[in-house]
Amino acid sequence: MRSTRTRLTGWLLVAPFCLCTLLFYVYPALRGLSLSFADGWIGEFKPSLAAWGRVFSPNFWKSVLASGRFSLYMLPFTGIAVAVVVGMQHLPKGFCTGVQTALYLPTLAAGVSMSLVWKTLFHPSKGLLNLILGTETLWLADPAIAPISITVVQAIPTLGPLIYLMSTFTAQIPDTLYEQARLDGCGFWRSVFRITLPILTPVILFAVASALMTGSTMFAPVMLLTGGGPAHATSSLTWLIYETAFIGGDLPRAAGTSIIHTIATLPIMVMLYRSIWREI
Amino acid sequence: MKYKVAFLLIISAICLIPLVFMVAGSVKPPLENLLIPPTLITANPTLENYQSLLKYPIGLWLLNTMIVSGGFTVLNVLFILLFAFGVVFRIGPRGRLLTLCCVAAGFLNPSLLLIPRYLLIRSMGLFNTRLGMILPFVPIVIMGAPAVLYMRTIPRYLLDAAEIDGAGPLKQFFSVIMPSVRPLAAYLGIQSVMRVYDMFLWQVLIAPAHKVKTLPVGMGIVVSGNLEERIMSFPNFSLNMASAFVTFLPMLAIFLLFRRYFKTEAFHQGVMR
């Protein structure tokens, strides 16, 4: 008697989550697929293959390149996070909390606040960055430098959570392990490579995967700082899709691009969350 | 030791400098931005920039932000917890497959969902509404996984005891489950609030009307994009800094109030091993 009733209430309990998943994830994904095999303007789509012909335009490849660049430039920040966590080991707890908090503040300002501030700092003649560095760099107008500038704006706020996360891993390593290693004649670098990094490997993989994802999904700083320019150098795939759909009005082509984007990022997503299959 | 401390201090300083300039720039008289070379810190601090912000409906935007983030957080956390409760304690072996299917939906790239969701929300008549900004992201499916994993650590006998005492499923959920999953709920809550600030693109698209804009969109698009605010064809940097600071404040408040819960990133662990 227990089981039937229990199960029924069980399905009722999971219903809101599952129905919302169907409505806002599964249905849109299928709709996106069907939209890419249609053509026309909003409200009057007809079945057609024409949109796919427009997907692989020169701008698409420029966006692929820009996304790749962003991903590549994101990677050093993972390294910085690892370095900070390794550096914090064996230091007084109060100091570490201070550093963690300082690095978390930019996370709270991520998106619009950070973009507005950096836009000001990047200004070539009146910005403080050139003043401090004594340079005359065009931070947002030079196609070679703009992707780096945009990445910095996006990447600094990712450090805070990542460092919290990595610290929970290093906190599990007993201090005696390091003492033992030192007694055995193991230097600082050796104990970093032999003890700390192996423990951190899963987080580092996670961080690398999310850095790769961030590259192609970069949006707020692109919109607020460069608008995809100069010469499409900062046009991430998400920006291209937004631009095609909502500025150009070509929804089918944008849908096609987003399907390619999804397929391309699927391996990264699987890498990000691969352990779910084992753990659940 | 010395090097480590120096390294950490330098990194912290680099990350904090933009925020320092944000505060310092927001009290700079607007005309001072035209000086060459620009001043780092002004000698004549002023609140003029914050006063110029007052001609925009900031209170309303803040209210909208609170409604959107609050509504989203409550719905998201509630749905995820109910789901995990149902899967772990009620459905039985099929729950595992259900979780995998739902979580797999989280592998879809957000850009794929953007356009169809836009069409869907428009056809539901939710264009330019706060509900339209909340709904399409409920639930954050990927968080179903840590929730289910955490829920499994709750001993079954707690629920059995409650059931013998005659508690129904909802009563069990609110008086047995909720108190024991508080750290999980806090983690889900913090993550949800942080996400809302990330949903800039969606909020720009779905709510172009001034009266339903959130604070980040209002500040990022309306204030900084207003050509009338320019000074001799240069953007008004001081005003931009002031709007950045005002956008930052609500998040800072949440951080200061719930600081200890921000360290619960550990819940990613189950998803990462």
Side-chain angles (χ1 to χ4, degrees), chain A residues 127-141:
Chain A
L128 297 178
L129 203 57
N130 274 342
L131 176 74
I132 296 169
L133 299 175
T135 52
E136 291 185 357
T137 315
L138 298 172
W139 295 103
L140 297 172

Side-chain angles (χ1 to χ4, degrees), chain A residues 1-12, chain B residues 90-91:
Chain A
M1 170 204 118
R2 177 193 152 116
S3 67
T4 329
R5 231 193 74 208
T6 325
R7 245 183 247 150
L8 190 68
T9 55
W11 288 107
L12 283 178
Chain B
R90 297 273 158 170
I91 291 184

Side-chain angles (χ1 to χ4, degrees), chain B residues 125-145:
Chain B
L126 294 176
F127 192 67
N128 263 333
T129 60
R130 297 173 197 92
L131 194 60
M133 286 190 258
I134 298 175
L135 267 190
F137 298 95
V138 176
I140 302 177
V141 277
I142 211 82
M143 289 181 185

Side-chain angles (χ1 to χ4, degrees), chain A residues 79-132:
Chain A
I80 292 177
V82 174
V84 168
V85 171
V86 168
M88 281 197 302
Q89 283 186 303
H90 316 301
L91 288 184
K93 204 161 175 252
F95 179 73
C96 293
T97 314
V99 171
Q100 281 179 331
T101 310
L103 290 174
Y104 209 91
L105 287 178
T107 310
L108 303 171
V112 171
S113 295
M114 270 302 211
S115 301
L116 286 177
V117 172
W118 280 104
K119 190 173 189 172
T120 308
L121 298 181
F122 281 145
H123 195 277
S125 63
K126 312 237 176 285
L128 297 178
L129 203 57
N130 274 342
L131 176 74
I132 296 169

